[in-house]
């Protein structure tokens, strides 16, 4: 065989991603074979740019058949198979080739398992986590190895078994994002194949049950997903195979979704016994405890997860079993939430910083960190702090920080990052300019930009800047550009503005949510006079509760407490308010008993809200009271009566 490594692919309508995949294997493979199963876009034309071995194959709802068509044409010693929505790492290609050269394949069928990192979330560029799996992606040619399985095909050898090796060379997979699934409608395609297999009584492998469960889980059909996950788990003889921990992880997620907490907890404990050397199931257990409201127990599990991951990383070992994020990002995120709830702002800042060290584009963490720092530090100290996380010579980072402080309404910090954006010639959007001029109180520049902007082609959010400006500077004519627009969001914004500026209270029925969002925006941009005017005119118990919750969450504690005091005096407090006051007094106030009294009132208002009971049991030391609340919890969740979650 003259070639060392041949790439085999099957494709259909992959013009968006095929070139990236083929570019990634440059210098790694000697031969490319592409089987097209019916593309109607430019996929085949792109394929011909890289190889002349492009073949047509009629799609028959069978992935294995298409894969086997591709490998029968191979002239290489080894075969690598990829999908178009995958690409390979660029490092150590030559080392992999040297490894393949040195393995004797003359007498034995051999497969090499590679790690696969899958992007999860909305899209590849908006991915909130990654999942790692393994797959036999390289195998020796010439020993009759073929693919089996109409869907989620697996390699088999004529003898029934073959030698396997593991090698660390990463494949990156973007096919599991919500955007890709929607564009390709993979779930419909896959379920069609699965239903055909069920009708033919050919859905027999535990792995098949695992994969069909994944499809139902993606659809949100959790009862069917659970049926197949449990079937896969029961029938899987090799509990240590590469997909078993993924199966149990997803089973736990489905159990939680179906509120089968006892089953979820028992499976978590089983997994901790089976894979104690990894952090993953400590994170999974912590997440379950968090769902149930056991903050302190959740904190312990997340800290255990980080400790195990750090120990593995210090020995240059892989520190995760399922998700990279299980030992780092997810525990950091949860601990940041817990310490913020506990009013420990120093630890909150610490873990938010940890999050951004891992992924600088975690916008929620950046927003909260910027908000906390700008509340307690000088502007220069905030700038110095962020210079350690984000270099000023990166235009994208400058824009990100500018937009963050723009949302926070911090005028001097906005000015600083605006100047950096101008230095790098960063293009700002209309909404950025309008909000910026509003925050720095430059009505002249705002009016000039307003005249230049075509509001018919901008978002409703951009148009909201006109209403904020009209209320802030008391200039009703700023709403004029909205008067001729016909889009629903913009016309409702115009009507709301007219009613507010003309003091038409009767026109504002059923607009409380819009007024609430407008008020928190006015507060953020420091338009306090306009804010006070609205709250004096349109205040209601419901609106005051929303504002109090918002200010508590945003760490404007004094303001939140003032609003809660008014609500208490008027006996109009909601459950969230009682809970927030309970947290305040339990962690920061001097009267622990008062905190428990507020928590008791929250339980009385929402007796079926399970996390409230867990919070009580973690903080109350009165055995008789705890017995009472434990009995009430058991009544709400009888299936968990004998489980000690914490």
């Amino acid at each position: 065989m003259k070639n060392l490594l041949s790439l085999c692919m099957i494709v259909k309508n992959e013009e968006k991603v095929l070139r990236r995949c083929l570019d990634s294997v440059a210098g790694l493979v000697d031969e490319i074979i592409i089987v097209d199963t019916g593309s109607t876009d430019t996929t085949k034309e792109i394929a011909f740019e890289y190889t002349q071995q492009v073949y047509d194959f009629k799609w028959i709802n069978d992935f294995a058949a298409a894969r086997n068509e591709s490998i029968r044409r191979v002239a290489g010693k080894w075969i690598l198979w990829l999908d178009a929505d995958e690409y390979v790492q660029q490092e150590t290609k030559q080392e992999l080739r040297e490894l393949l050269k040195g393995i004797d394949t003359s007498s034995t069928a051999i497969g090499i398992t590679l790690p696969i990192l899958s992007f999860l979330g909305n899209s590849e560029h908006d991915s909130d986590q990654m999942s790692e799996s393994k797959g036999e992606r390289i195998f020796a040619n010439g020993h009759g190895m073929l693919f089996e399985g109409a869907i989620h095909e697996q390699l088999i050898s004529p003898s029934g078994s073959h030698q396997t090796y593991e090698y660390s060379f990463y494949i990156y997979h973007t096919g599991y994002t919500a955007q890709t699934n929607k564009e390709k409608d993979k779930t419909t395609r896959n379920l069609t194949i699965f239903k055909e297999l069920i009708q033919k009584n050919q859905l027999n492998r535990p792995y098949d049950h695992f994969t069909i469960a994944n499809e139902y889980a993606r659809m949100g059909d959790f009862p069917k997903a659970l049926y197949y996950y449990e079937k896969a788990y029961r029938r899987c003889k090799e509990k240590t195979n590469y997909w078993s921990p993924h199966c149990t992880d997803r089973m736990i997620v489905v159990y939680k979704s179906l509120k089968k907490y006892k089953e979820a907890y028992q499976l978590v404990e089983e997994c901790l016994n089976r894979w104690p050397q990894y952090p993953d199931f400590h994170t999974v257990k912590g997440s379950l405890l968090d769902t149930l409201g056991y903050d302190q127990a959740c904190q312990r599990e997340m800290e255990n997860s980080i400790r195990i991951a750090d120990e593995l990383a210090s020995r240059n070992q892989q520190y995760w079993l399922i998700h990279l994020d299980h030992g780092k990002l997810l525990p950091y995120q949860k601990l940041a939430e817990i310490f913020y709830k506990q009013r420990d702002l120093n630890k909150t800042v610490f873990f938010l910083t940890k999050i951004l060290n891992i992924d600088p584009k975690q916008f929620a963490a950046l927003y909260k960190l910027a908000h906390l720092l700008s509340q307690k530090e000088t502007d220069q100290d905030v700038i110095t702090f962020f210079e350690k996380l984000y270099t000023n010579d990166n235009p994208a980072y400058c824009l990100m920080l500018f937009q963050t402080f723009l949302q926070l309404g911090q005028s001097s910090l906005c000015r600083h990052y605006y100047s950096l954006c101008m230095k790098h010639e960063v293009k700002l959007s209309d909404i950025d300019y309008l909000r910026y001029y509003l925050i720095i109180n430059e009505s002249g520049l705002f009016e000039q930009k307003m005249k230049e902007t075509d509001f018919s082609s901008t978002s409703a959010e951009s148009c909201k800047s006109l209403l904020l400006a009209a209320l802030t500077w008391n200039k009703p004519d700023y709403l004029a550009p909205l008067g001729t627009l016909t889009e629903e969001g913009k016309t409702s914004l115009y009507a709301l503005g007219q009613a507010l500026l003309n003091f038409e209270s009767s026109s504002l029925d059923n607009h409380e949510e819009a007024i609430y969002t407008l008020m928190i925006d006015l507060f953020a941009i420091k338009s306090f006079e306009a804010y006070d005017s609205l709250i004096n005119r349109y205040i209601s118990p419901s609106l005051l509760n929303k504002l109090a919750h918002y200010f508590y969450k945003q760490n404007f504690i004094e303001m939140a407490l003032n609003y809660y005091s008014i609500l208490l005096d008027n006996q109009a407090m909601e459950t969230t308010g009682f809970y927030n006051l309970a947290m305040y007094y339990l962690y920061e106030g001097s009267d622990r008993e008062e905190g428990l009294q507020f928590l008791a009132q929250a339980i009385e208002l929402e007796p079926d809200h399970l996390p409230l009971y867990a919070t009580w049991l973690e903080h109350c030391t009165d055995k008789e009271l705890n017995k009472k609340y434990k009995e009430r919890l058991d009544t709400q969740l009888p299936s968990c009566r004998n489980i000690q979650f914490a």
Side-chain angles (χ1 to χ4, degrees):
M1 298 179 184
K2 62 179 182 179
N3 295 322
L4 175 67
L5 182 60
S6 301
L7 170 65
C8 290
M9 301 179 67
I10 59 173
V11 297
K12 181 180 179 181
N13 293 337
E14 301 288 2
E15 63 181 4
K16 290 184 178 181
V17 292
L18 180 58
R19 188 173 276 108
R20 178 187 64 185
C21 176
L22 296 176
D23 284 341
S24 78
V25 297
L28 176 64
V29 303
D30 307 292
E31 178 183 44
I32 296 174
I33 298 166
I34 296 177
V35 167
D36 187 276
T37 61
S39 293
T40 56
D41 60 5
T42 60
T43 294
K44 288 177 67 175
E45 288 85 343
I46 294 170
F48 274 117
E49 294 176 16
Y50 294 83
T51 178
Q52 291 305 302
Q53 295 197 71
V54 181
Y55 306 98
D56 292 318
F57 181 79
K58 184 178 179 180
W59 179 243
I60 55 173
N61 273 2
D62 191 324
F63 281 91
R67 294 248 183 247
N68 290 333
E69 175 67 15
S70 70
I71 65 175
R72 77 181 182 87
R73 302 172 182 276
V74 165
K77 177 183 176 183
W78 292 94
I79 298 170
L80 164 69
W81 64 279
L82 294 172
D83 287 328
D85 55 14
E86 296 175 329
Y87 56 97
V88 302
Q89 71 174 60
Q90 295 306 290
E91 304 79 18
T92 68
K93 289 180 181 178
Q94 193 56 40
E95 287 87 337
L96 175 55
R97 289 181 60 85
E98 291 300 320
L99 172 77
L100 297 177
K101 287 178 185 177
I103 298 176
D104 181 8
T105 64
S106 59
S107 59
T108 307
I110 299 173
I112 298 177
T113 299
L114 302 180
I116 304 166
L117 285 179
S118 296
F119 292 88
L120 307 177
N122 293 325
S123 67
E124 177 187 354
H125 303 294
D126 184 23
S127 177
D128 52 9
Q129 58 178 297
M130 299 179 76
S131 173
E132 175 160 340
S133 58
K134 296 176 183 178
E136 208 169 344
R137 291 306 194 92
I138 298 176
F139 60 98
N141 188 18
H143 295 281
M145 293 183 71
L146 292 171
F147 289 94
E148 179 185 70
I151 187 168
H152 299 297
E153 59 281 12
Q154 302 284 290
L155 274 170
I156 60 168
S157 62
S159 65
S161 63
H162 57 277
Q163 289 186 20
T164 59
Y165 298 93
E166 285 196 15
Y167 187 73
S168 182
F169 184 83
Y170 277 90
I171 296 170
Y172 299 94
H173 178 221
T174 62
Y176 285 159
T177 63
Q179 179 184 23
T180 300
N181 192 52
K182 182 179 179 181
E183 290 174 354
K184 306 286 288 185
D185 196 15
K186 288 185 175 183
T187 297
T188 300
R189 178 201 67 190
N190 293 350
L191 283 177
T192 300
I193 298 173
F194 277 125
K195 288 174 181 177
E196 289 180 3
L197 294 174
I198 292 171
Q199 290 172 355
K200 296 175 183 177
N201 198 28
Q202 293 178 354
L203 194 73
N204 299 317
R205 301 176 303 171
Y207 183 72
D208 290 333
H209 298 135
F210 168 60
T211 53
I212 192 173
N214 290 337
E215 299 299 338
Y216 282 119
R218 272 192 280 271
M219 290 173 60
D221 190 340
F222 297 124
K224 281 187 178 178
L226 182 58
Y227 170 79
Y228 284 107
Y229 280 136
E230 289 182 332
K231 196 169 185 178
Y233 189 64
R234 285 196 307 269
R235 294 191 59 214
C236 181
K237 295 178 181 178
E238 295 292 332
K239 298 293 187 184
T240 56
N241 64 44
Y242 77 90
W243 59 266
S244 184
H246 293 267
C247 182
T248 55
D249 176 48
R250 293 172 197 181
M251 279 174 68
I252 292 163
V253 171
V254 170
Y255 279 139
K256 285 169 59 180
S257 298
L258 295 173
K259 298 185 178 180
K260 293 179 175 286
Y261 300 122
K262 179 178 180 179
E263 292 86 345
Y265 193 82
Q266 289 173 334
L267 186 54
V268 167
E269 291 297 306
E270 186 179 326
C271 293
L272 283 170
N273 289 329
R274 183 172 297 140
W275 295 290
Q277 71 274 34
Y278 289 106
D280 298 71
F281 286 101
H282 286 285
T283 299
V284 172
K285 182 178 179 180
S287 177
L288 175 59
L289 291 166
D290 175 65
T291 299
L292 295 169
Y294 289 98
D295 287 347
Q296 294 174 6
C298 171
Q299 178 184 330
R300 289 192 294 271
E301 291 302 324
M302 295 303 178
E303 289 171 344
N304 283 336
S305 180
I306 292 169
R307 175 183 55 78
I308 294 169
D310 287 346
E311 288 174 358
L312 290 170
S314 70
R315 299 196 294 268
N316 293 320
Q317 292 178 276
Q318 179 175 307
Y319 62 82
W320 65 91
L321 178 66
I322 304 169
H323 294 292
L324 285 84
D325 298 336
H326 271 163
K328 300 286 185 180
L329 188 62
L330 295 180
Y332 291 157
Q333 289 174 331
K334 189 52 62 181
L335 287 172
E337 290 177 20
I338 290 171
F339 285 120
Y340 188 71
K341 190 185 295 185
Q342 294 175 358
R343 313 296 309 140
D344 190 335
L345 300 185
N346 288 332
K347 286 186 178 178
T348 303
V349 167
F350 174 81
F351 283 107
L352 290 172
T353 306
K354 284 279 193 180
I355 293 167
L356 294 174
N357 279 326
I358 294 173
D359 181 3
K361 294 184 179 180
Q362 286 282 326
F363 297 110
L366 173 58
Y367 178 90
K368 181 167 279 189
L369 180 59
H371 179 58
L372 290 177
L373 291 176
S374 61
Q375 282 185 325
K376 66 176 188 174
E377 306 290 347
T378 66
D379 291 342
Q380 186 55 54
D381 286 343
V382 173
I383 291 168
T384 302
F385 181 92
F386 279 112
E387 283 176 350
K388 297 174 183 177
L389 286 174
Y390 301 96
T391 57
N392 286 340
D393 57 357
N394 186 319
Y397 286 162
C398 293
L399 176 61
M400 191 165 63
L401 287 165
F402 170 67
Q403 291 175 331
T404 298
F405 288 108
L406 204 60
Q407 290 304 310
L408 290 170
Q410 297 292 336
S411 59
S412 59
L413 290 166
C414 281
R415 289 180 187 273
H416 173 77
Y417 289 107
Y418 175 83
S419 67
L420 289 176
C421 287
M422 294 301 100
K423 175 183 175 182
H424 292 297
E425 299 181 347
V426 174
K427 182 176 176 58
L428 303 181
S429 67
D430 290 335
I431 186 173
D432 287 338
Y433 277 117
L434 289 169
R435 190 174 178 90
Y436 176 62
Y437 295 144
L438 182 55
I439 287 169
I440 64 173
N441 200 30
E442 287 284 356
S443 59
L445 292 173
F446 185 94
E447 289 179 11
Q448 181 180 338
K449 188 63 184 176
M450 186 176 72
K451 293 174 183 176
E452 297 171 357
T453 303
D454 178 10
F455 289 98
S456 64
S457 62
T458 61
S459 66
E461 190 65 26
S462 298
C463 296
K464 191 165 77 170
S465 295
L466 296 178
L467 178 51
L468 291 170
L471 292 167
T472 298
W473 291 317
N474 194 26
K475 292 191 176 182
D477 56 316
Y478 281 1
L479 293 178
L482 302 181
T484 58
L485 303 180
T486 57
E487 292 176 51
E488 183 178 349
K490 296 173 183 177
T491 56
S492 60
L493 196 65
Y494 178 73
L496 175 64
Q498 289 291 328
L500 291 173
L501 289 161
N502 293 320
F503 297 85
E504 298 172 2
S505 300
S506 59
S507 303
L508 293 170
D509 295 340
N510 304 317
H511 284 80
E512 182 177 285
E513 189 63 30
I515 294 173
Y516 162 70
T517 57
L518 193 62
M519 289 181 69
I520 62 176
D521 251 337
L522 288 168
F523 189 88
I525 64 174
K526 312 294 188 293
S527 183
F528 298 130
E529 187 175 338
Y531 174 89
D532 290 340
S533 174
L534 291 185
I535 200 168
N536 289 331
R537 287 155 54 192
Y538 303 111
I539 196 59
S540 67
S542 175
L543 180 57
L544 196 58
N545 269 287
K546 288 178 181 177
L547 290 169
H549 305 336
Y550 169 79
F551 288 123
Y552 187 86
K553 187 177 179 181
Q554 295 296 313
N555 199 41
F556 295 110
I557 301 300
E558 185 177 350
M559 198 159 186
L561 293 178
N562 287 336
Y563 285 180
Y564 283 140
S565 178
I566 295 170
L567 290 165
L568 284 171
D569 290 343
N570 289 275
Q571 298 182 337
M573 181 86 83
E574 296 175 352
T575 305
T576 301
F578 282 118
Y579 178 77
N580 286 343
L581 287 175
M583 291 296 98
Y584 175 78
Y585 282 102
L586 288 172
Y587 285 110
E588 195 169 34
S590 57
D591 194 337
R592 184 181 184 83
E593 288 304 313
E594 188 166 5
L596 290 172
Q597 288 174 19
F598 283 127
L599 191 56
Q601 288 176 282
I603 293 172
E604 292 304 316
L605 284 177
E606 282 194 53
D608 59 346
H609 190 55
L610 301 179
L612 296 175
Y613 295 94
T615 305
W616 178 279
L617 294 171
E618 283 196 326
H619 289 279
C620 182
T621 57
D622 187 315
K623 292 182 180 179
E624 288 302 314
L625 281 174
N626 283 349
K627 181 180 178 182
K628 168 190 168 184
Y629 281 104
K630 183 66 169 67
E631 289 173 352
R632 292 184 64 174
L633 174 60
D634 290 343
T635 301
Q636 295 295 328
L637 201 63
S639 64
C640 297
R641 185 165 288 144
N642 298 318
I643 296 290
Q644 294 296 322
F645 287 110

